[in-house]
Amino acid sequence: MLKTIIAGLVLLLSLPAFAASDHKKRLQPHLAELWTLDHSLSRPESVVYDQQHDLLYVSNINGNPSEKDGNGYISIVSVDGDVIQQEWVSGLDAPKGMAIKGSFLYVADIDSLVEISLETGSVLNRYPGDGAQFLNDVALDKAGNVYVSDSRQQTIYRLKGGSFEVWMDDERISEPNGIFARHGKLIVAAGDSSSERPGRSRFLQAIRFKNKKLKVLGGGEPIGSLDGVEKSGVGGYFLTDFRSGDIYHYTKSQGAVRIASPEPGTADIDYVVDQQILYVPILNTGKLIAYKVLWCK
């Protein structure tokens, strides 16, 4: 493993605490690399932080992202960038997006949503999605319902009360990838259905849970091959562009502003707001990068 420790990290200790929320929204994020885990993961697609155990879970496709080959697995990685257990859960096909609900880890795996016990690492349930083709990102609402995007369709599935069914099927959310539940809405990185390649012209939309009313964010201007979507804690979102490798910070006032471009393959990220650390898997080269987010004027 190669660890990259940034010089001058001690400056973080002198940064002022955040003031009121309106002040936060005027700050701009800058990414300072803390470490890089290299040569250990196999096509990592998603990372999620487990606050209770203070560790990271990483989904490894380990093969073709569409093939049901049984090669996929979940790794456990420390917050310092060390592999704790390479194949904590194995026998998956092409695991992608993940989310934690209580003591359970939910993982999108091609055409099924997999439920895993965090305590034992055992697969407890597999919920097949009727007609699912490429289940991708996973999000939870406040009620504990689990949402999953299908990036080869125009569909979002929902697990509610043990039933995994289509929640929304709409041409306006063509080839959806990253999703995030917030303030009674599901934020979706969905493609422009009029584009020849919708997955390369994704933009943000918000779907209200109570009535499925859809609102386009940022005027509907395509941003790129959006993959990960995570709240930034200042009223915005961190986004990744898988094809270009760009990382963006999106706000209503400024739109999508590029803040880093490590390399192509930036996938499903996780941001720990209270620690101000952004974790970024690089699928193409098998890396996991941890960034400290510095908020500056």
Side-chain angles (χ1 to χ4, degrees), residues 110-286:
I110 301 184
D111 58 2
S112 297
L113 178 65
V114 181
E115 181 183 69
I116 299 169
S117 168
L118 292 179
E119 301 306 319
T120 66
S122 302
V123 173
L124 302 177
N125 288 293
R126 293 178 185 267
Y127 300 96
D130 185 20
Q133 297 181 27
F134 197 86
L135 297 181
N136 205 329
D137 201 12
V138 181
L140 297 170
D141 66 15
K142 285 189 174 181
N145 300 311
V146 185
Y147 297 82
V148 188
S149 60
D150 189 327
S151 297
R152 294 232 173 118
Q153 302 194 77
Q154 52 187 28
T155 309
I156 295 172
Y157 290 79
R158 180 179 67 179
L159 175 65
K160 181 179 181 180
S163 178
F164 189 53
E165 299 175 334
V166 172
W167 177 69
M168 188 168 188
D169 189 318
D170 194 310
E171 63 179 5
R172 293 174 296 175
I173 55 168
S174 181
E175 300 186 13
N177 193 332
I179 55 177
F180 191 89
R182 186 182 191 188
H183 300 321
K185 304 172 186 176
L186 187 69
I187 307 302
V188 182
D192 178 2
S193 59
S194 66
S195 172
E196 184 177 348
R197 294 184 172 181
R200 296 187 182 183
S201 56
R202 292 190 178 106
F203 53 95
L204 295 183
Q205 302 185 53
I207 306 171
R208 287 193 175 275
F209 289 126
K210 65 179 181 180
N211 57 14
K212 298 183 184 178
K213 184 177 180 180
L214 192 150
K215 180 181 179 180
V216 173
L217 304 182
E221 189 69 25
I223 300 172
S225 301
L226 294 184
D227 194 310
V229 178
E230 281 289 315
K231 71 174 182 180
S232 65
V234 296
Y237 299 93
F238 288 115
L239 312 173
T240 58
D241 184 321
F242 182 87
R243 185 173 175 80
S244 68
D246 294 333
I247 302 173
Y248 294 95
H249 184 239
Y250 173 91
T251 58
K252 181 179 179 180
S253 60
Q254 295 187 331
V257 177
R258 184 173 61 187
I259 56 175
S261 187
E263 56 185 279
T266 50
D268 186 14
I269 54 180
D270 197 11
Y271 179 54
V272 185
V273 176
D274 57 353
Q275 298 178 19
Q276 299 170 43
I277 297 179
L278 180 68
Y279 296 101
V280 182
I282 310 291
L283 187 147
N284 293 353
T285 55

